[in-house]
Every structure is written in C-alpha cells, then in structure tokens.
Amino acid sequence: MGEAHPSEEALLSSLNEAQRQAVLHFEGPALVVAGAGSGKTRTVVHRVAYLIARRGVFPSEILAVTFTNKAAEEMKARLKAMVRGAGELWVSTFHAAALRILRVYGERVGLKPGFVVYDEDDQTALLKEVLKELGLAAKPGPIKSLLDRAKNQGVPPEHLLLELPEFYAGLSRGRLQDVLHRYQEALRAQGALDFGDILLYALKLLEEDGEVLKRVRKRARFIHVDEYQDTNPVQYRFTRLLAGEEANLMAVGDPDQGIYSFRAADIRNILDFTQDYPKARVYRLEDNYRSTEAILRFANAVIVKNALRLEKTLRPVKKGGEPVRLFRAESARDEARFVAEEIARLGPPFDRVAVLYRTNAQSRLLEQALASRGIPARVVGGVGFFERAEVKDLLAYARLSLNPLDAVSLKRVLNTPPRGIGPATVEKVQAIARERGLPLFEALKVAALTLPRPEPLRAFLALMEELMDLAFGPAEAFFRHLLLATDYPAYLKEAYPEDAEDRLENVEELLRAAKEAESLMDFLDKVALTARAEEPAEAEGRVALMTLHNAKGLEFPVVFLVGVEEGLLPHRSSLSTQEGLEEERRLFYVGVTRAQERLYLSYAQEREIYGRLEPVRPSRFLEEVDEGLYEVYDPYRQSSRKPTPPPHRALPGAFRGGEKVVHPRFGPGTVVAAAGDEVTVHFEGVGLKRLSLKYADLRPA
C-alpha cells in the first residue's frame, strides 16, 4: 500500500514545468500534446494521483483508457504504489471498458448473458462455414478485412460495398452482401461477438439507453485517453458520449506518431480536439528524456516537413551523443551483413538492440545474417500465446461449457482429442441441425439417439455435462479436470512428438494464468482482450526484429532502421496521396525516435522486387534532411576516399520543402513536397493543394 495522501510537493517535485501544469489541470477538457519520450505516462499517472490525493476525487469516478493491456496494468501498478484506493480506478483498453459495460447491461441490446468473443481464428472459421453453406468458393481473408474495416469505422459492412470493385474476393457485390448478412446472423445465433462488435454494441447501448449512459458516466466522471491520435471513429464517438457536457476529458497523444490509418485510426480526432472542445486547455510536453541530442535534431528535421501536425519541437535532456550513421549497401544482402557485423562489433547484451523495417518480408535476410554470426534474435509479432493450437483447444472447451450455442468451439473440440467422431458424422449432425432448425449442440443430442454408433457422441455429451457443472467454479479447477477427463497431455505427446514438451509447457502456462482469474468467464474475457498478441518486445539476450508499426511505444539503446528507400519507406502503396505520404513520414519519425543512444540508417542500391533485381534510390525522407545531421558510415569497405553522401535530387523550382510562399488565390502557404513539375503546398485555412509549377505563379512570402 502506498502513502495514503501524498503531499503536493511529493506529487509535483519530479515533474518538469509543462508536466506540472498538465497535472494541475482540474476540470474541463484538456489536450496534452506529448512528444516521443516526453514522459506522458508519468504525467497521466501523477495527474490521476493528484485528483485523488489533492482534489478529493473518488477513485471510482476516474476512467483511464490505454491502447494495450500491458500499459493498463503498468499504470494500475504505479498508481497503487502512490495512492490509497487505486484498486477502484477503472484503467483499461477501449475494448475492455466496453466489454465490462456489456457484461452488466448487454441484455438491453439483445446479448445473451454468457456471450463469447470470437478471436481472429474463430472469425475465419465462421466465415468459412458461411461460405460453405452458401456454396461459394471464396477466401475468407479479404471478407474478414472488409468486416474489420467497417466495424472500426462504425458503419454497416454493406456501406463499404460501393467502394469495392464489381467483384471482390471472387464474389459479386450481391453475393458478398449475402455472406456479410449470413455471418452476422450466425454470430447472433451462436451467442457470439467478434472483436469489432464489442465497441459497436457498447456504443449502441450508450446511445439508446439514457439510464445506462447516466450510470456509466458516474463511473467515468474524469476521463483520460492515451494515444488519442490512434482513436478510430467508434472509439471517438464512445469517448465523446462518455465525456458528455461536463467534458472532464484529458486527451493525451502526438499527431506526429499517428501511424494506424489502416486500422481506421483518424488523426483528425486529435488535430480537431480544440474545435470539438473550444474551452480546452492545451499543454505541450517537448522535453525528451529518451534520445540524445544528435538523434532528436535528425527527428525534428524529418517531421517538420509534415503539414498535418500540431506545432511541437522535441528538446533533448541528453546533450550531444553519437552521430546518426547512414550506411549505403550495394544490395539487401549486403545491408543485412552490415547490420549483423555491426551488432557483433558492438557486442552483447544483444537485447539492447532492435532492427526495424517497413515490411515483414525484410526480416528473412536479417534473420539469416544474424544466425550466421551466432547472434541470437527473435521476430516480434509472431504467433501469440493465446493463438497456439493447444491453448485454443482448451479455451474452446471452456467457451462451449459456458455457451452451448458456440458452434465454432463445438466443431473444434468435438473430435479433439480424437474420439471416433469423423467428418461424415459431423456432416450428419449438421444436416439434423438444418432440417430441424436446431443449434448444433441440440442436434448433437438428437444424433446421439438416432445415428448408428452413437457411443462417441454420448461420451462427448457426458463430458460436456461434467464441464458445464464446473464452468461456474474456479477457472484453474475447470482446466485441470478437463486435462484429466480428456487425457489431453497424452494426446499432445502422440500428435506432436517433435515439440510436445513445448506444447505441454504452454498448457502449464495456461493453468498458471487461469489461477489468477476470479472465474472462468472472467478468464475468457481477459483472453479475448489479449489474444491479439501483445508479447513483450524485449527478450533476454536477443536482438529484436520488428516492423516499424510494431515498434510504436518501445525504446532501445541501439536501433537499426533498414530499407530507407523509395518504394519501401515511403512504401509504394502510399505514394498516391499526400495524406499517405505524410503517414509514411510519421512512420519513419516513429522509428527514429525509438533510439536512445545510437541510430543507424541504411538503404540498398538494388533490391529484389517481384522476383527481379531492381536498382532503388534512397528515400526522399533522407533527402529532405540536411546532410550535416548524419554521417555516412562504412567501416567495412577498404577505401582511401571518404564515402560521399547520397545525392540529393533537386526539387522543381529549387523547392526542397518548408519554404513559405504566396499564391494569388489561396494566399500564404508552406511547401510540403515536390515531384516532377508539381509542388504540394499547405495553405492556411484552405489545406493541401497540389499545383503545377508551370501555372501556379508561386512567390516567396
């Protein structure tokens, strides 16, 4: 238990002036523009503690929303060490907050009390089943992406059909609409939600039921939302609804780190915060405690070229530092060799090093190069713990025990471990379900009375009866009985002789996790919210390999950012719009600001693209930065001459970006980018305009 009521001095003494001002903010809306490494978590934690200890706010009136379960747990732990009653705080992700509301009030929007949440594999399995029922030969992947996109935007999936080509995923629009409709029907029939449904149902509940909204607002009188730049339209509406007229909302974030538009995140949510809340106070955290001065000078020079941002310049607390180093490789293989040799030269511990790249495909050569030099490494973002087959088997039994309507889980465990119920029997059971209009589990009971060789079905039903009796007791006891009753460990040893020990260790880990849960339902809810693997990026003694998107929120003493080339970073898929290009620049900025002490950048002069070796050129993001902010580095080539930096392409009309100009119609603006004979300018009050230099008549401001 921490100090009951820390003094004001104790709460404020470790903060800088900007952090202190944000912590002292009491009522009304506030926007904290928190740069990378500026101590935003410390600021939020101290602000919550200040509300409780010095302003008399009850912990049960405070909601803090984070984007990962790990961040939520860390925040809870820090607050428990600071103030009494912190256990009553509501600290969670958006989805966890929404699921908590639905567990209490879900029946008001038609949810069954024991509803389950399907993960991505379950969602795919259900889509396959729907496609099979409709007699359609299509892959579920693109359809699942469409569903996710629609639900993140908060629109019915059918609304996105008009944006699609006439044929999508091999289906006409009409047939695709049939699939989407049938999928949602199947979810309802099975008492299930997919991940995207959690927030949608909670939003529907709060929008339609004033009584519930009033109760939830009492529980969330003071709201903090972290990473506000990453909120999607549904999360934005959810937040605004909870904030209500009082609007005691503190939004914390950094538009310069908005990199998730592919998940429907809308950077305008943070850019327009002061329009949504005209009385909002704005606090800027610009002191950076993470990176050296050399790294931050480079980072600031990168991001200043973006037009869609809130003014902010990171100031280094750590002065000086190693220069940012740029390596020009002859090929992608040469680049991987450089990375491995430089890491070997730096020496252990290797877990202080991260290698970041734009696409997963870039990891193969890096893995090989590191392995050939005996450097241990791991790829971050692989298969998560709760996505492993043996774990999913046991979870499926648990979900079915609580919700017999869950046909996806039923099909997974019906013959796992094998008990003599083959595909032909399953087909017959499904036929009974269709003919009689029964849920699959009820059809199973009919089949056990009518089909020849009913013993395996009866044995399974008897097992499920036992498990259903245990489903409302402790989670660990449920799983231990399940393992014993099915002899599941023996099945793993027989089915997976090569890695049975690893799988059995995963089973033990599941039991350890279940021991911490209050009930089986509580355990399954936690699993549903963490199944999208939030594995720790650090692994003892191993180099971390990861995409730039996976690196968000992390930091490492040494960072290698590879493939800084046109077509990779910025990625070729993002070059058609200014918004896409700016997001790629933000992605580069995020990668740069992960580095604490050393930053290496590299690019190849040729790379294999679609099976052919093609010449490539350095990224425009490198060319936008003054050459004095990095040094060309090549410790491995024996040469008497100093390597020259990559040539900068002269931009049309001598524009390089950042110049202030005046247009006869649009008025004053700032040059953002130039390509060919076109220039893109951000005009005040007008926005981005792409102009032909031949006709634009731009003049210096």
Side-chain angles (χ1 to χ4, degrees):
M1 176 75 65
E3 183 187 344
H5 295 290
S7 67
E8 189 159 318
E9 174 65 19
L11 285 169
L12 301 179
S13 61
S14 63
L15 306 175
N16 63 40
E17 184 55 31
Q19 292 170 335
R20 191 177 295 116
Q21 290 304 317
V23 166
L24 291 171
H25 180 93
F26 182 35
E27 293 180 316
L31 173 63
V32 179
V33 183
S38 64
K40 68 181 174 69
T41 304
R42 167 184 285 270
T43 304
V44 172
V45 166
H46 281 248
R47 199 263 176 153
V48 172
Y50 187 84
L51 287 176
I52 297 167
R54 313 309 306 168
R55 287 290 194 168
V57 176
F58 293 116
S60 57
E61 296 179 311
I62 298 174
L63 167 64
V65 179
T66 66
F67 262 77
T68 67
N69 295 286
K70 182 182 174 187
E73 292 303 321
E74 285 177 0
M75 189 177 288
K76 280 182 204 168
R78 286 167 71 168
L79 283 162
K80 281 180 182 176
M82 291 175 74
V83 287
R84 177 181 292 168
E88 295 177 47
L89 288 163
W90 190 2
V91 185
S92 73
T93 63
F94 273 109
H95 286 89
L99 186 55
R100 179 171 169 176
I101 294 167
L102 292 176
R103 284 292 172 212
V104 180
Y105 304 109
E107 288 180 80
R108 297 189 181 212
V109 279
L111 294 177
K112 295 179 173 63
F115 72 84
V116 295
V117 180
Y118 281 175
D119 66 14
E120 293 189 13
D121 284 351
D122 302 321
Q123 198 180 356
T124 300
L126 184 58
L127 277 169
K128 284 180 179 175
E129 190 63 39
V130 166
L131 290 165
K132 186 179 174 184
E133 278 181 25
L134 295 174
L136 300 172
K139 291 188 175 178
I143 303 171
K144 182 183 159 307
S145 296
L146 176 68
L147 281 162
D148 290 348
R149 188 150 49 95
K151 291 181 180 186
N152 284 333
Q153 290 178 18
V155 300
E158 291 79 5
H159 285 200
L160 298 184
L161 291 180
L162 293 178
E163 299 175 10
L164 301 175
E166 183 59 39
F167 282 86
Y168 177 83
L171 300 174
S172 68
R173 283 182 190 154
R175 295 307 273 156
L176 185 55
Q177 189 157 353
D178 292 342
V179 172
L180 297 174
H181 178 69
R182 180 71 194 95
Y183 169 79
Q184 286 301 139
E185 274 189 342
L187 277 176
R188 276 192 292 273
Q190 297 185 22
L193 304 182
D194 62 25
F195 204 70
D197 281 330
I198 298 173
L199 270 166
L200 283 178
Y201 270 86
L203 191 60
K204 176 180 168 67
L205 172 67
L206 296 177
E207 286 178 340
E208 296 178 358
D209 195 317
E211 184 188 343
V212 172
L213 178 59
K214 192 174 175 182
R215 288 183 193 173
V216 176
R217 277 180 176 167
K218 275 188 178 178
R219 189 67 182 83
R221 197 172 140 238
F222 286 85
I223 304 170
H224 303 73
V225 179
D226 196 9
E227 306 289 6
Y228 197 72
Q229 77 280 352
D230 293 334
T231 51
N232 63 35
V234 178
Q235 293 161 338
Y236 170 79
R237 284 164 59 195
F238 184 80
T239 302
R240 290 214 70 178
L241 202 55
L242 285 188
E245 302 248 337
E246 282 191 14
N248 292 325
L249 167 65
M250 178 173 277
V252 185
D254 181 6
D256 291 342
Q257 297 185 72
I259 59 173
Y260 294 121
S261 66
F262 66 94
R263 294 181 190 164
D266 190 343
I267 196 173
R268 289 173 300 181
N269 294 347
I270 192 167
L271 293 176
D272 296 344
F273 188 86
T274 53
Q275 291 179 35
D276 290 339
Y277 302 96
K279 295 180 180 177
R281 296 286 303 275
V282 179
Y283 305 92
R284 285 179 168 79
L285 307 187
E286 298 177 292
D287 287 348
N288 176 286
Y289 295 87
R290 176 188 299 157
S291 307
T292 62
E293 182 178 13
I295 292 167
L296 290 184
R297 286 177 64 210
F298 185 92
N300 286 329
V302 168
I303 203 61
V304 76
K305 304 297 182 186
N306 269 9
L308 296 173
R309 62 190 301 258
L310 298 174
E311 198 56 45
K312 174 181 84 315
T313 301
L314 292 180
R315 296 187 295 261
V317 172
K318 299 178 186 174
K319 302 298 182 185
E322 295 281 327
V324 174
R325 295 188 167 104
L326 173 68
F327 179 74
R328 291 190 297 158
E330 292 177 4
S331 65
R333 197 172 294 279
D334 184 37
E335 179 183 55
R337 175 188 66 86
F338 157 72
V339 170
E341 290 185 5
E342 188 68 10
I343 291 173
R345 187 182 72 79
L346 292 172
F350 294 119
D351 53 8
R352 67 196 176 109
V353 180
V355 184
L356 312 181
Y357 38 80
R358 178 63 177 83
T359 67
N360 281 304
Q362 291 170 260
S363 73
R364 182 180 62 85
L365 289 175
L366 293 160
E367 288 179 77
Q368 290 173 346
L370 291 167
S372 70
R373 285 156 184 80
I375 298 171
R378 75 186 286 252
V379 177
V380 175
V383 178
F385 177 77
F386 292 111
E387 295 169 338
R388 290 162 186 163
E390 58 277 12
V391 175
K392 285 184 70 69
D393 287 347
L394 301 179
L395 293 176
Y397 273 108
R399 291 197 316 209
L400 183 61
S401 300
L402 285 164
N403 176 21
L405 293 173
D406 183 356
V408 168
S409 293
L410 174 56
K411 286 173 193 170
R412 184 176 188 106
V413 302
L414 192 53
N415 200 43
T416 305
R419 52 176 62 90
I421 304 175
T425 303
V426 174
E427 192 57 54
K428 287 173 186 173
V429 174
Q430 287 179 306
I432 292 170
R434 284 193 297 269
E435 288 163 11
R436 304 196 184 190
L438 294 172
L440 201 59
F441 194 81
E442 294 303 312
L444 204 62
K445 294 177 182 176
V446 174
L449 297 172
T450 59
L451 291 184
R453 276 198 73 248
E455 291 79 12
L457 295 177
R458 289 175 183 171
F460 176 76
L461 288 168
L463 168 67
M464 289 311 304
E465 200 172 316
E466 287 175 29
L467 294 176
M468 286 174 187
D469 286 341
L470 292 168
F472 295 95
E476 185 193 14
F478 173 90
F479 286 115
R480 289 206 180 277
H481 182 85
L482 169 61
L483 292 170
L484 197 63
T486 58
D487 203 8
Y488 192 79
Y491 156 68
L492 286 180
K493 289 174 186 174
E494 188 177 331
Y496 305 100
E498 291 180 3
D499 62 351
E501 287 306 313
D502 286 345
R503 292 175 185 267
L504 286 168
E505 281 179 20
N506 290 335
V507 170
E508 282 301 316
E509 184 59 33
L510 180 71
L511 291 173
R512 280 193 286 274
K515 193 173 185 176
E516 297 170 7
E518 291 177 15
S519 66
L520 191 62
M521 177 65 79
D522 174 57
F523 179 67
L524 290 178
D525 280 353
K526 285 179 179 172
V527 169
L529 295 165
T530 56
R532 297 188 171 202
E534 289 176 15
E535 294 187 75
E538 63 279 350
E540 192 174 344
R542 291 191 281 172
V543 172
L545 304 175
M546 70 186 86
T547 64
L548 286 161
H549 285 101
N550 281 336
K552 176 82 183 320
L554 305 175
E555 57 185 39
F556 299 88
V558 182
V559 168
F560 290 81
L561 208 169
V562 302
V564 189
E565 302 153 19
E566 285 293 299
L568 265 183
L569 188 63
H571 195 269
R572 61 184 67 85
S573 64
S574 303
L575 298 178
S576 59
T577 67
Q578 193 60 33
E579 290 79 5
L581 187 60
E582 289 211 359
E583 179 153 336
E584 291 291 303
R585 192 180 281 110
R586 291 195 292 269
L587 196 55
F588 183 41
Y589 174 79
V590 164
V592 167
T593 54
R594 298 312 93 195
Q596 295 170 296
E597 297 165 15
R598 290 174 181 264
L599 173 64
Y600 295 86
L601 308 171
S602 63
Y603 68 90
Q605 295 177 83
E606 61 178 17
R607 192 176 291 272
E608 195 172 293
I609 301 171
Y610 300 123
R612 292 191 313 177
L613 208 57
E614 301 275 2
V616 289
R617 63 178 194 240
S619 168
R620 69 187 71 192
F621 301 152
L622 282 176
E623 299 177 352
E624 292 169 351
V625 175
D626 188 275
E627 293 171 19
L629 295 178
Y630 60 84
E631 72 169 33
V632 176
Y633 181 67
D634 190 350
Y636 304 114
R637 288 201 183 102
Q638 298 300 314
S639 173
S640 56
R641 66 181 180 83
K642 184 181 177 182
T644 55
H648 283 270
R649 295 192 304 280
L651 295 179
F655 290 124
R656 297 174 60 84
E659 295 86 358
K660 303 294 182 185
V661 294
V662 178
H663 185 272
R665 180 176 163 201
F666 302 127
T670 304
V671 175
V672 175
D677 64 350
E678 291 187 334
V679 65
T680 302
V681 182
H682 184 264
F683 293 102
E684 297 165 19
V686 179
L688 291 170
K689 292 288 180 183
R690 188 174 293 171
L691 306 168
S692 166
L693 281 170
K694 196 171 176 183
Y695 305 108
D697 193 21
L698 290 176
R699 317 240 169 198

